[in-house]
Amino acid sequence: MPEFALDETDRKILKTLQENGRISLADLAGEVGLSASPCLRRVRLMEKAGVIARYVAVLDQQAVGLPVSVFISIKLDKQKQDALDRFSKTIARWPEVLECYLMTGPRDYWLRVVVPDLAAYERFLKQKLTRLEGVASIESSFALEQVKYTNVLPLA
C-alpha cells in the first residue's frame, strides 16, 4: 500500500479520533478547525487509504474477567517460510492471543495472551500451544502489573 501523506490537519483528526472514536463529526470538525464536509472527506480518504484501520471499543481487561496477561516467546524448530506461515495462521485463529510478532534474535515469535486465571493458561498451553507442530520451545512470563497501556500512536 502506498504511503498516505498526512498533513497537520489530518494528524489533528487522527489524534482526536484516537482519544475519542465516538466524537460526532460536528465536534471533530470544530476541534480541528474545519467545517463538517471537508472534515468528513478527509476522514473517508484516510479510511479508504487504510490509515484508519477500524473503530473499536477499548475494554477494561479486569472488568471483563481476563485479568491475567502472559507474554510468551516461541522458538520454532525450523525457520522456513512454510513453518512460519503455518504458525502464524494457527495463532491468528486463537482468541486468547491479543498480539503476535515475528521477531529477530534468539526467539521466533512473541505473543501476548490474556486468560481469566492460571488454570485457563494451563489449558491454553497444553491443549493448543504445545500441540502446535514445529514449536521447539516455549517461555512464559506473567505480568504482575500493567504500568502503561495505550493504543494511541504518538503522532507529531
Side-chain angles (χ1 to χ4, degrees):
M1 179 186 323
E3 190 172 319
F4 187 84
L6 299 173
D7 65 16
E8 185 178 337
T9 303
D10 293 329
R11 290 182 185 281
K12 286 180 185 176
I13 290 170
L14 293 172
K15 183 179 183 306
T16 303
L17 285 174
Q18 284 189 108
E19 292 168 358
N20 181 4
R22 293 185 62 157
I23 192 169
S24 71
L25 178 61
D27 289 343
L28 177 61
E31 186 83 20
V32 300
L34 293 174
S35 62
S37 189
C39 184
L40 179 59
R41 188 170 32 258
R42 284 175 178 260
V43 169
R44 295 289 185 244
L45 283 171
M46 288 188 284
E47 289 171 345
K48 187 175 180 179
V51 174
I52 299 173
R54 66 184 186 275
Y55 298 90
V56 299
V58 179
L59 306 181
D60 181 292
Q61 189 176 328
Q62 298 280 336
V64 297
L66 296 167
V68 179
S69 286
V70 187
F71 296 88
I72 307 167
S73 61
I74 305 286
K75 178 140 185 73
L76 301 181
D77 55 12
K78 296 176 187 164
Q79 288 75 32
K80 294 185 176 180
Q81 190 63 50
D82 62 329
L84 298 173
D85 290 343
R86 186 172 47 254
F87 182 86
S88 296
K89 286 178 185 168
T90 302
I91 289 294
R93 293 192 308 261
W94 294 346
E96 303 91 342
V97 179
L98 269 57
E99 298 175 70
C100 177
Y101 299 92
L102 177 62
M103 304 296 290
T104 62
R107 310 300 279 178
D108 297 310
Y109 286 94
W110 180 88
L111 284 64
R112 178 173 157 238
V113 170
V114 297
V115 289
D117 53 37
L118 294 178
Y121 178 66
E122 182 179 6
R123 283 190 304 278
F124 171 80
L125 186 67
K126 289 180 176 178
Q127 295 172 8
K128 290 184 176 180
L129 207 48
T130 58
R131 293 181 183 187
L132 192 54
E133 183 184 341
V135 172
S137 66
I138 302 166
E139 290 182 10
S140 303
S141 298
F142 292 83
L144 299 177
E145 177 184 6
Q146 185 178 73
V147 177
K148 179 181 179 181
Y149 172 81
T150 185
N151 60 351
V152 176
L153 296 175
L155 301 175

